[in-house]
Amino acid sequence: MGEETLLWSEKGDAMSRFLDERRHTLPPAVTTLAEQLAAAGYKVTQPRLAVLKAITSLPGAFSVQEVEQWLIERDESPGIASIFRTIRLLCDLGMLQRIHGLDECHRYCLGGGHSHHLVCTQCGVIERFDNCGLQGVISGLEQSTGYRITSHVVELFGLCPRCQSITA
């Protein structure tokens, strides 16, 4: 039976087989993300696995260019277009968060949910924090405007302690 005649459930099984055949060679963090992709109905392909390996290996927040460089150094790069598409998909699924970094360059970090970021304007280091203290403001805005606010982003820019000590 050709792939074009496979039923959806059989395609899902084929995607699971692709992941299962490689599972023993993958770090647990990569396997977890790949399983989330498959559970959301997306194919787990070699290019996507390569990107998952990179993003789970890079420390902290990363740029698309850093992912590409990491993959090039290991001769695993699927190409910049595939990297961009995979990162966009992971953001859409809530598996990655996009952070507005310095110099118009977006950075990304693993995880979704309610978190916010401090960005150092000197060195670019990014630190996550969870409690933004805006829930009361959001509730007031919903009452006064009639909006149902579904999400928000807080990114604060300043100097990290290390950069402050250098400039002091």
Side-chain angles (χ1 to χ4, degrees), residues 129-141:
F129 67 97
D130 294 322
N131 185 4
C132 65
L134 288 177
Q135 197 52 51
V137 172
I138 290 170
S139 295
L141 283 170

Side-chain angles (χ1 to χ4, degrees), residues 101-157:
L102 302 175
D103 301 326
E104 304 293 321
C105 179
H106 290 109
R107 298 187 71 75
Y108 302 86
C109 64
L110 283 169
H114 183 233
S115 68
H116 307 293
H117 305 95
L118 298 168
V119 181
C120 180
T121 55
Q122 186 74 33
C123 69
V125 71
I126 296 172
E127 186 173 329
R128 281 176 88 148
F129 67 97
D130 294 322
N131 185 4
C132 65
L134 288 177
Q135 197 52 51
V137 172
I138 290 170
S139 295
L141 283 170
E142 285 180 326
Q143 289 178 357
S144 67
T145 65
Y147 275 73
R148 184 173 53 90
I149 298 172
T150 57
S151 66
H152 63 275
V153 176
V154 175
E155 292 177 0
L156 303 171
F157 298 85

Side-chain angles (χ1 to χ4, degrees), residues 38-53:
Y42 292 91
K43 290 182 181 179
V44 178
T45 62
Q46 194 59 48
R48 288 179 177 163
L49 279 178
V51 172
L52 294 177
K53 280 191 237 176

